[in-house]
Amino acid sequence: MTPPPTGAAGIFESCRLKGPARRFSSSALTGRRAQAVGLSLVELLVGVAIGLFIVAVGMTLLTGNLRESRALIVENRLMQDLRTASDLIARDLRRAGYWQGAAAGVWQRGASGVQPNPYSAIAPAAGASDALSFRFSRGAGSTGTVDNSEQFGFRLRAGAVEMMLGNGNWQAVTDTGTLLVSGFSLTPAVQERSLSPYCSTPCGASGSDCPRQQVRSVALTMTARAVADTSVVRTVRHNVRLRNDSVNGACPA
């Protein structure tokens, strides 16, 4: 039997842990090290950089979507305003030449002529222009004489389309705070149809003395740009058929 060590060796040997006590000490040390493990400074900086990159990409996409949404709203509003103005102009142009006594202007077989319509004139009668005047009868008490309240028209002035309500009374149709009209064109057109087959007496060779029906129309073109974004420019075109045709000439006696 080996005797127990004496001196310093004995003291060291007696301090050594054996068995379960040694295993417990090793597992406790390993757990402390696992709990102490974390991110290094480099890893932390990389994570922050990736997060900032994601935020920057998201902000760029959001800004782009907002810009496109705003441009779409401006374009839609401009087109809506142009269409509203063109519809208003077309509605009044269709009434040009309306006459309470239109029955007196209807041509009939064997008639020597018809009474001229005092409201049929439009000016200018031909050629493109940025202004147009016309007339139509208002009210049941119309006498057949054109008065100031029965004169109408449209014109372009200082970036706005104006409407004449009575002689010399102009009112803006478009709002210069929303859009600026840079182009406004009204072009009258006339198509004549001969009524000579309805005459009991044949017309001359030239046909100039035969009754003729005039079918009139006005081509409307309007261009404007948005005040909120001057790069947004739109154009609307409208061909307006005047409902009140005029008849000129008469059958030979």
Side-chain angles (χ1 to χ4, degrees):
M1 181 175 182
T2 304
T6 60
I11 296 173
F12 177 76
E13 183 67 21
S14 62
C15 291
R16 292 180 59 185
L17 297 176
K18 299 181 180 180
R22 183 178 180 178
R23 289 193 297 271
F24 175 78
S25 177
S26 299
S27 61
L29 182 59
T30 304
R32 292 193 189 96
R33 289 179 179 177
Q35 292 177 358
V37 172
L39 297 176
S40 65
L41 179 60
V42 175
E43 292 173 335
L44 182 62
L45 292 177
V46 171
V48 171
I50 293 175
L52 291 177
F53 175 76
I54 295 174
V55 171
V57 172
M59 291 298 295
T60 302
L61 294 176
L62 178 61
T63 303
N65 290 336
L66 291 176
R67 186 184 302 109
E68 293 178 0
S69 177
R70 178 178 178 274
L72 185 60
I73 292 174
V74 172
E75 293 174 3
N76 289 340
R77 183 175 182 180
L78 178 60
M79 284 301 302
Q80 181 179 0
D81 290 343
L82 281 176
R83 288 173 179 170
T84 301
S86 65
D87 289 344
L88 176 62
I89 295 171
R91 184 191 66 183
D92 274 14
L93 284 176
R94 291 190 184 99
R95 302 174 65 185
Y98 172 71
W99 179 27
Q100 290 281 347
V106 177
W107 179 85
Q108 299 178 1
R109 185 186 298 272
S112 58
V114 295
Q115 183 177 346
N117 183 355
Y119 299 92
S120 63
I122 60 175
S129 175
D130 62 354
L132 182 73
S133 62
F134 55 94
R135 309 165 180 174
F136 59 81
S137 177
R138 298 181 62 183
S142 177
T143 61
T145 302
V146 180
D147 56 31
N148 291 336
S149 64
E150 296 174 327
Q151 301 183 31
F152 305 91
F154 294 98
R155 70 179 181 183
L156 176 62
R157 183 181 181 185
V161 176
E162 296 181 342
M163 177 182 183
M164 182 173 68
L165 301 174
N167 188 16
N169 183 19
W170 293 93
Q171 180 177 348
V173 176
T174 59
D175 183 10
T176 54
T178 303
L179 58 91
L180 292 176
V181 181
S182 57
F184 182 69
S185 175
L186 295 165
T187 307
V190 178
Q191 294 180 348
E192 287 194 347
R193 299 176 180 176
S194 176
L195 301 178
S196 59
Y198 300 95
C199 293
S200 57
T201 302
C203 299
S206 63
S208 58
D209 55 346
C210 288
R212 299 177 305 279
Q213 179 185 8
Q214 291 185 340
V215 180
R216 301 179 298 174
S217 62
V218 176
L220 166 64
T221 303
M222 184 162 48
T223 302
R225 69 175 182 272
V227 174
D229 187 353
T230 57
S231 64
V232 179
V233 180
R234 292 294 182 269
T235 301
V236 294
R237 295 178 176 85
H238 204 153
N239 192 43
V240 184
R241 165 76 159 81
L242 275 61
R243 295 174 178 172
N244 301 282
D245 299 335
S246 61
V247 177
N248 300 324
C251 290

